Amino acid sequence: MKINELLEEYQVELYIFHGDIWERDGFYFPDERIIYVNANLSPEEREKVILHELGHINHDPAYYSRLLIQYENQADRFMVRELIKNYLSENDVYDFDWLRFANYYKIATSWGQQMIQEEFNHLVNIN
């Protein structure tokens, strides 16, 4: 699914900010349902940030500091899942290699290996 379709599905607006305003890649402002993304990012990095921030949609901001690791992990998982869907729309499922995928999308293998494999298996119903 394309980014614009996801933004529309989740009813979220996207704003691009100049990198010198905030020293971060992006963030989600839940009260206004707006994702802000750093203009200095490449299109590929921007896509990953948007997907990650969309992964925060169902998170309660009141619990963010207490559930920081869980929320960030869930947002990363959402991003990985959507990237795999996109990847599989252009590549054969039988040729999927988690490491090639991680390198293609510049996802750290230190945390990405297990998540990529789990999301791939979930998407293609492999147990």
Side-chain angles (χ1 to χ4, degrees):
M1 186 174 278
K2 303 291 183 212
I3 293 293
N4 289 336
E5 293 171 0
L6 286 169
L7 291 169
E8 186 176 321
E9 177 184 337
Y10 289 103
Q11 299 178 343
V12 173
E13 292 184 59
L14 176 65
Y15 289 97
I16 309 300
F17 66 87
H18 294 287
D20 56 348
I21 295 175
W22 292 296
E23 292 184 16
R24 53 192 313 172
D25 292 339
F27 58 94
Y28 174 59
F29 190 61
D31 294 339
E32 300 296 324
R33 298 188 70 81
I34 298 173
I35 292 175
Y36 293 90
V37 178
N38 190 320
N40 294 336
L41 298 176
S42 69
E44 296 81 12
E45 287 299 314
R46 194 177 293 181
E47 177 183 22
K48 286 171 40 182
V49 169
I50 293 168
L51 290 173
H52 173 90
E53 297 306 330
L54 281 171
H56 287 297
I57 292 294
N58 295 319
H59 295 158
D60 186 338
Y63 299 113
Y64 189 80
S65 61
R66 187 170 58 97
L67 299 173
L68 174 66
I69 294 172
Q70 178 181 335
Y71 280 1
E72 290 302 317
N73 186 55
Q74 289 172 343
D76 282 339
R77 188 170 290 278
F78 179 87
M79 174 195 67
V80 165
R81 184 180 317 117
E82 292 301 320
L83 291 174
I84 291 173
K85 287 178 188 178
N86 183 58
Y87 187 85
L88 292 178
S89 72
E90 300 172 4
N91 295 279
D92 191 321
V93 67
Y94 296 105
D95 292 332
F96 186 81
D97 177 282
W98 78 267
L99 185 56
R100 185 170 47 230
F101 173 86
N103 288 331
Y104 181 81
Y105 285 106
K106 297 180 179 137
I107 296 172
T109 56
S110 58
W111 63 265
Q113 178 180 1
Q114 182 176 352
M115 187 180 294
I116 291 167
Q117 290 172 331
E118 288 172 357
E119 289 305 314
F120 172 77
N121 291 339
H122 177 73
L123 285 170
V124 297
N125 295 317
I126 297 174
N127 293 320

